[in-house]
Amino acid sequence: MTSSREDLILRYGGPAPRYTSYPTANHFGPVGPADVRDALGGASRELKVYVHTPFCQKLCWYCGCNTVIRRDTRIGAEHVDRVLAELDLLAPHLPADARMRRLDLGGGTPNFLETDALVRLVRGLEAVLPPAATGPEYASELDPRTVTDAHLDTFLELGFRRFSLGVQTLEPVVQEAVNRPMPRERVGEITHILRRGGARSVNFDLMVGLPHQTRETLDRTLDTVLGVQPDRLAVFQYAHIPSLRPAQKHLERAGLPGPMERDTLMRHAVERLTSAGYCRIGFDHFAVPSDPLAVAAREGRLGRDFQGFTTDAHLDLLALGPSAIGHIDGLFTQNDRDPGRWADSIARATLPVVRGWRLTDEDRRTGRFIHDLMCCGSARWEDGGIAGDAREQAVAALEPMVHDGLVRIDDTGIAVQPAGVDFVRQVAAVFDRYLAQPALHASVA
């Protein structure tokens, strides 16, 4: 007998890692400047660069990011000084002909930086890492509440062509409950300016599972979003972890949808977006069929890194700023999360990295297996080096999912079925040997 949706959610719907890396960042251990310098000797000649600006002017109650609330945007100039000083510490150890293939600005709020600081940041990065000769891509997150038209013009003049707007919700009663008010029409105005200026891809981040979200309130947000027609969307289910993010306790006063309600909202969003012509990418991304992300998914080239699903996960990632996570020649690195300690390290001419992980051969094989599950929906035992007792244990753990039609297993490997896409993280967790109890219900990472 086929299990009901409620049974599936109760059985398999527990929290699980998002697998933007393997091992996941909560398992990282001590890593120091010498480890980073050694790894840079084997770095790829073309690099991705990620810059984390932790500052926001106002805290959204749902936020799980590493943010610092500041109202005075002039401190952004000092932040740029420190980021460029951090790059100067790394520069002597980079390959002589290193180039920047991709630049991602994230946060916090990248447009917290005033326009002159933003120009100085990008030009300073380019002075050390010139843009790649072909195909450089500059992308930035934007807070549509605070980004100005002058910001948008500056981003475009600097060569940014891909943008991600933190929309989350456009319903006033939900915005009030999460402390994120924003005029409904602003996202359309911003998208129009960006496209007029040459932007090739505009993404909207949406969130389900917030207070006062119902099918009707979600539909009103989706109606506006589909009217604007962004090129990509990421639809995240809200993760309630007030023990780690105390501000989230504010949401409890307004009431939060339960697991079944949240699942219903997510499935409704999937139905509306796919009916509107968007391709579902992985478990929570969507793109128009012509978007490079959708093309990569169709051609089996989809990747996954700390920015989510991507088309260039094969490149090494140089990370700058507090809490930023990089990946250089098989070494994961994470800077000090505290902006003060991060700045103090740079003032002492010491790289601010404090955590990370050196991949073993087994890590690489398991990581490839999990990557293939997340990005392709299938994986081969041979590629993951999964054999003998390990394979038998995995097959036994997944037997309930096989029975429920969520996965298919044969002698070559495992394939996630259409009904199992929503549970692919739980499937991947079975193969994660660093989880305390590698089973279908895994801890968040």
Side-chain angles (χ1 to χ4, degrees):
M1 180 181 296
T2 303
S3 298
S4 68
R5 185 70 182 185
E6 184 172 4
D7 288 338
L8 295 177
I9 294 298
L10 291 173
R11 192 176 303 156
Y12 311 119
R18 299 182 65 81
Y19 290 113
T20 53
S21 71
Y22 181 80
T24 52
N26 61 316
H27 295 296
F28 289 177
V31 162
D35 300 296
V36 177
R37 290 192 291 267
D38 290 344
L40 288 171
S44 57
R45 267 46 183 178
E46 291 192 339
L47 296 165
K48 293 186 291 186
V49 177
Y50 172 72
V51 179
H52 187 81
T53 298
F55 306 111
C56 290
Q57 291 179 287
K58 188 175 183 180
L59 181 63
C60 305
W61 299 144
Y62 60 78
C63 183
C65 300
N66 184 42
T67 59
V68 178
I69 305 304
R70 295 287 187 271
R71 297 192 182 279
D72 187 354
T73 58
R74 290 174 297 181
I75 64 172
E78 296 178 358
H79 178 70
V80 169
D81 291 340
R82 291 163 181 157
V83 168
L84 295 178
E86 182 181 359
L87 181 58
D88 285 341
L89 294 175
L90 294 164
H93 310 285
L94 291 167
D97 56 349
R99 296 291 184 268
M100 184 161 54
R101 167 55 68 90
R102 174 172 145 185
L103 170 62
D104 284 286
L105 305 186
T109 306
N111 57 270
F112 179 92
L113 302 177
E114 296 180 350
T115 54
D116 57 344
L118 181 63
V119 171
R120 193 159 55 83
L121 171 64
V122 175
R123 297 306 182 213
L125 295 171
E126 292 174 335
V128 177
L129 287 168
T134 58
E137 182 178 82
Y138 289 5
S140 183
E141 298 175 0
L142 299 176
D143 184 342
R145 300 171 302 167
T146 58
V147 70
T148 65
D149 291 0
H151 273 117
L152 301 177
D153 290 341
T154 301
F155 276 111
L156 291 165
E157 290 167 3
L158 288 169
F160 285 78
R161 293 296 180 266
R162 189 162 64 80
F163 300 89
S164 181
L165 277 62
V167 176
Q168 317 309 350
T169 176
L170 294 172
E171 188 65 16
V173 66
V174 183
Q175 291 178 341
E176 182 179 357
V178 301
N179 199 35
R180 191 180 174 86
M182 177 178 59
R184 181 180 296 272
E185 64 274 9
R186 182 57 177 156
V187 295
E189 295 169 352
I190 293 170
T191 303
H192 174 72
I193 293 171
L194 293 176
R195 285 177 169 160
R196 185 182 61 196
R200 292 191 295 269
S201 183
V202 178
N203 173 79
F204 286 4
D205 283 350
L206 303 179
M207 189 171 289
V208 299
L210 299 173
H212 304 305
Q213 270 189 333
T214 63
R215 181 169 173 151
E216 290 71 29
T217 60
L218 178 59
D219 267 334
R220 285 196 284 268
T221 288
L222 292 173
D223 287 343
T224 301
V225 166
L226 291 174
V228 177
Q229 296 184 320
D231 305 279
R232 300 180 185 179
L233 296 110
V235 184
F236 303 111
Q237 293 198 48
Y238 167 66
H240 192 57
I241 45 174
S243 60
L244 298 177
R245 303 294 178 183
Q248 292 185 346
K249 293 179 181 178
H250 290 285
L251 304 190
E252 296 173 0
R253 302 170 189 164
L256 289 164
M260 283 305 301
E261 295 172 288
R262 190 167 61 245
D263 177 68
T264 298
L265 291 170
M266 184 68 183
R267 294 177 72 198
H268 181 62
V270 171
E271 180 181 353
R272 284 215 56 188
L273 294 175
T274 53
S275 295
Y278 286 90
C279 302
R280 190 177 186 183
I281 311 295
F283 60 96
D284 60 3
H285 281 52
F286 303 82
V288 296
S290 60
D291 188 273
L293 202 65
V295 175
R298 288 196 299 272
E299 296 179 352
R301 297 184 291 103
L302 191 65
R304 189 160 175 79
D305 63 14
F306 296 105
Q307 276 69 59
F309 290 104
T310 179
T311 59
D312 54 11
H314 62 285
L315 297 175
D316 282 340
L317 171 63
L318 195 68
L320 306 169
S323 81
I325 300 178
H327 183 208
I328 302 291
D329 191 32
L331 177 73
F332 288 118
T333 67
Q334 183 170 25
N335 284 346
D336 199 311
R337 294 176 59 88
D338 182 87
R341 292 196 301 264
W342 170 80
D344 289 344
S345 292
I346 294 169
R348 298 193 307 270
T350 301
L351 290 174
V353 63
V354 293
R355 302 172 69 242
W357 190 277
R358 168 63 69 180
L359 291 173
T360 66
D361 289 343
E362 185 175 2
D363 291 337
R364 294 176 190 272
R365 290 191 298 268
T366 304
R368 178 180 177 182
F369 191 88
I370 289 176
H371 172 277
D372 288 348
L373 281 174
M374 300 291 289
C375 296
C376 305
S378 63
R380 302 194 313 165
W381 303 122
E382 180 182 359
D383 293 337
I386 301 170
D389 290 344
R391 176 171 159 183
E392 290 181 7
Q393 291 170 9
V395 169
L398 289 168
E399 182 57 34
M401 281 192 164
V402 173
H403 178 267
D404 286 322
L406 305 184
V407 298
R408 177 177 55 80
I409 295 175
D410 60 25
D411 290 341
T412 61
I414 177 173
V416 179
Q417 302 301 285
V421 171
D422 294 330
F423 306 101
V424 65
R425 294 159 59 191
Q426 286 79 3
V427 176
V430 170
F431 302 92
D432 187 343
R433 64 190 181 92
Y434 295 105
L435 290 177
Q437 294 180 327
L440 295 178
H441 285 80
S443 57
V444 175

